[in-house]
Amino acid sequence: HTLSVKLAKPTYIKKLIISAEGYRQDSIFDVVVNGDVKGTIFVPGRDPAYFVTVEARASSIEFVARTGSAQIHQIKVVGR
């Protein structure tokens, strides 16, 4: 499964702060921006936030499941 999050307009993203929780089991997903994997997140259950360095201008962010399923509670975009 892939979750695509569209940004209101193309934005420079320095980092993403992602809050997620595994759903019934451990989960792994890739964070993809402009077709490049910027990070892989392992979610064993409710965990603190994950930081992913992007340093690119983008209009969307994709979360591509590798195993399991997770709920993404919040995504914060940190600009310059």
Side-chain angles (χ1 to χ4, degrees), residues 7 9-13 33-34 54-60 80:
L7 303 177
K9 61 181 181 177
T11 303
Y12 178 79
I13 303 168
V33 177
N34 297 331
V54 175
E55 295 188 348
R57 188 172 180 81
S59 56
S60 69
R80 298 177 191 250

Side-chain angles (χ1 to χ4, degrees), residues 53-75:
T53 300
V54 175
E55 295 188 348
R57 188 172 180 81
S59 56
S60 69
I61 303 158
E62 284 69 48
F63 298 92
V64 182
R66 285 186 172 193
T67 62
S69 60
Q71 294 179 333
I72 297 173
H73 295 293
Q74 187 175 48
I75 303 162

Side-chain angles (χ1 to χ4, degrees), residues 5-6 16 23 27 33 45 48 51-54 62-63:
V5 177
K6 302 290 183 194
L16 296 171
Y23 183 70
S27 177
V33 177
F51 291 77
V52 177
T53 300
V54 175
E62 284 69 48
F63 298 92

Side-chain angles (χ1 to χ4, degrees), residues 31-38 60 62:
V31 179
V32 180
V33 177
N34 297 331
D36 295 325
V37 175
K38 295 296 185 174
S60 69
E62 284 69 48

